[in-house]
Amino acid sequence: MSYRSWQAMNLSNDTMSNPSQVPEQKDPLSSLYKMSRTAGLGSHEYVAVNPTAVVALLLGLASGLAVLGTVMLVVPVAAVIVAFLAILQVRHSAGTQTGKGLAILGLLLAVGFVLLVGGQAIVHAREVEREKGQILSLIDSLGKNIVSSNYEAAYGQFGPRFHSAVTQPVFVNTWTQNQSNPSYGHIKGMRSNGIVDLDPEDILAYTNILIELPGGLDRRLAILRKIPEQGWVIEDLQGYFPTAPTAPAAAQPQ
């Protein structure tokens, strides 16, 4: 018996007599990478983007067109509706769709532009009311000057264009004759009817003046012009001074 055979037999006998000395053999598959059993579940890599959310974002961006006119407010209104619809669709998609952030962004853009247009409208309305207040105050002051026969002060409330066509003596003489004319009568009061046609971006305004006479009311169209140095002045009181410059008929309120 060779030495190697004898050594192998002894080793086998030792192993059988003492099993704890048997070398542990590794599983050849234990070194392989173990994947999680939940791998791929709940991953957003393949979640679809909700197309309605994309449309909501595009409409939100297009809501800037609302600054061009109130007619274009239909765009942000549509954006708000589509955004809410997209949010509901994503919420009920059981995690298969995304895009809620896009819908919310479109919603915020639409609301922001609506607030911007609304703020501009409020500023414009306040400016119009302020200008109307100045015009009504001017007409009221003119009426007081005419009633008290303070024609020089009344003449100063008319503008340079009127002064270039009607001199102060002609102005005073015209009112004096009207006041003493029995067929016309002494003026008891003068006021605006409260309706002023103007645009703050324009320099012209129109209002009807009601002149109180013993026999009733005389209605005359007053044309006013805004001058940077003076503010609002009276351009003409139609019918009293035929030689005064008048606005084109197309520009006068009906």
Side-chain angles (χ1 to χ4, degrees):
M1 177 181 295
S2 65
Y3 174 77
R4 289 184 178 179
S5 299
W6 177 82
Q7 187 178 21
M9 183 177 64
N10 289 339
L11 180 61
S12 176
N13 294 333
D14 292 343
T15 301
M16 293 179 62
S17 61
N18 190 5
S20 61
Q21 295 182 0
V22 179
E24 181 181 359
Q25 297 182 0
K26 286 188 176 182
D27 184 0
L29 299 179
S30 62
S31 61
L32 296 179
Y33 176 75
K34 295 183 179 181
M35 297 181 62
S36 172
R37 295 183 179 181
T38 59
L41 298 179
S43 174
H44 294 281
E45 184 177 358
Y46 301 104
V47 177
V49 177
N50 183 274
T52 309
V54 177
V55 174
L57 177 60
L58 294 177
L59 288 175
L61 295 173
S63 297
L65 297 173
V67 300
L68 302 178
T70 55
V71 177
M72 301 305 297
L73 285 174
V74 65
V75 179
V77 171
V80 171
I81 296 175
V82 175
F84 276 113
L85 180 61
I87 293 174
L88 291 176
Q89 289 178 351
V90 173
R91 183 177 299 176
H92 293 86
S93 66
T96 61
Q97 289 185 347
T98 186
K100 182 179 179 180
L102 299 178
I104 294 177
L105 180 58
L107 175 63
L108 294 178
L109 287 172
V111 173
F113 282 117
V114 169
L115 293 178
L116 175 63
V117 174
Q120 291 177 343
I122 292 175
V123 172
H124 178 78
R126 289 181 177 177
E127 181 68 15
V128 169
E129 289 301 319
R130 188 178 68 84
E131 300 290 343
K132 285 184 178 181
Q134 295 177 359
I135 292 173
L136 295 177
S137 178
L138 174 63
I139 299 302
D140 183 66
S141 177
L142 174 66
K144 293 178 180 179
N145 289 329
I146 296 298
V147 171
S148 62
S149 299
N150 190 1
Y151 301 131
E152 293 183 4
Y155 185 75
Q157 294 177 295
F158 285 74
R161 290 167 61 93
F162 180 86
H163 292 166
S164 65
V166 180
T167 62
Q168 182 172 333
V170 173
F171 181 86
V172 173
N173 184 59
T174 300
W175 285 110
T176 302
Q177 290 182 356
N178 287 335
Q179 293 271 48
S180 60
N181 190 338
S183 62
Y184 192 76
H186 184 79
I187 296 176
K188 301 170 59 178
M190 182 182 297
R191 69 182 188 280
S192 169
N193 65 348
I195 301 176
V196 181
D197 182 13
L198 71 91
D199 189 327
E201 298 179 358
D202 200 356
I203 60 174
L204 291 177
Y206 308 90
T207 185
N208 284 310
I209 293 182
L210 304 179
I211 303 174
E212 298 180 16
L213 301 172
L217 289 176
D218 183 15
R219 184 187 299 266
R220 302 291 176 126
L221 177 65
I223 304 174
L224 302 98
R225 181 180 295 271
K226 188 173 184 179
I227 301 178
E229 298 81 9
Q230 297 179 252
W232 287 102
V233 296
I234 302 172
E235 185 86 351
D236 186 23
L237 188 58
Q238 288 188 331
Y240 272 93
F241 309 97
T243 59
T246 58
Q252 300 174 11
Q254 299 297 323

